[in-house]
Amino acid sequence: MSHLRIPSHWTIQRSTPFFTKDTVPQALLTHHNTAKGVFGQLCVMEGTVTYYGFADEDAVEPEIKVVIHAGQFATSPPQYWHRIEISDDAQFNINFWSESDKQGQTMFHAKS
């Protein structure tokens, strides 16, 4: 799960700025998923980000836990529910990949 392959013909549609403990959007710390046809690539520059994957929107216990250290990345497949926890010194960003041009479209969905 920590490195599902993004299809080679897909391209980055959007990249976030670097987030820290002070700037991380709350939606990333709670259940959310990437949009249909969108892979997320979480890239850790400093510290540690822990990724928890869930079977569905209502699952409480994660089915996957991946610890991503500085210099590493992990991918999240389209429409897969997940959340993250970050260390106090974490700095990371997210690249959103897709097959078609999704400029201006929603890249993820938070749990309602």
Side-chain angles (χ1 to χ4, degrees), residues 1 27-34 40 42 51-54 56 76-77 79-84 94 108:
M1 171 61 207
L28 298 180
L29 303 175
T30 60
H31 270 52
H32 66 282
N33 70 2
T34 47
L42 194 152
Y51 174 101
Y52 297 94
F54 297 90
D56 58 48
S76 189
Q79 298 181 293
Y80 184 68
W81 289 96
H82 58 281
R83 71 173 178 84
I84 62 168
I94 303 167
F108 72 94

Side-chain angles (χ1 to χ4, degrees), residues 29-47:
L29 303 175
T30 60
H31 270 52
H32 66 282
N33 70 2
T34 47
K36 182 177 182 179
V38 176
F39 253 96
Q41 178 189 32
L42 194 152
C43 304
V44 179
M45 301 304 278
E46 292 182 22

Side-chain angles (χ1 to χ4, degrees), residues 3-4 8 35 56 65 74 76 92 97 106-107 110:
H3 191 74
L4 291 176
S8 62
D56 58 48
K65 176 183 175 183
S76 189
F92 69 98
W97 294 75
T106 301
M107 296 291 155

Side-chain angles (χ1 to χ4, degrees), residues 3-13 34-41 73 75-78 95-100 102:
H3 191 74
L4 291 176
R5 186 176 300 273
I6 297 169
S8 62
H9 64 285
W10 285 27
T11 57
I12 294 175
Q13 300 298 311
T34 47
K36 182 177 182 179
V38 176
F39 253 96
Q41 178 189 32
F73 71 90
T75 57
S76 189
N95 297 313
F96 294 100
W97 294 75
S98 74
E99 179 174 21
S100 60
K102 292 190 178 289

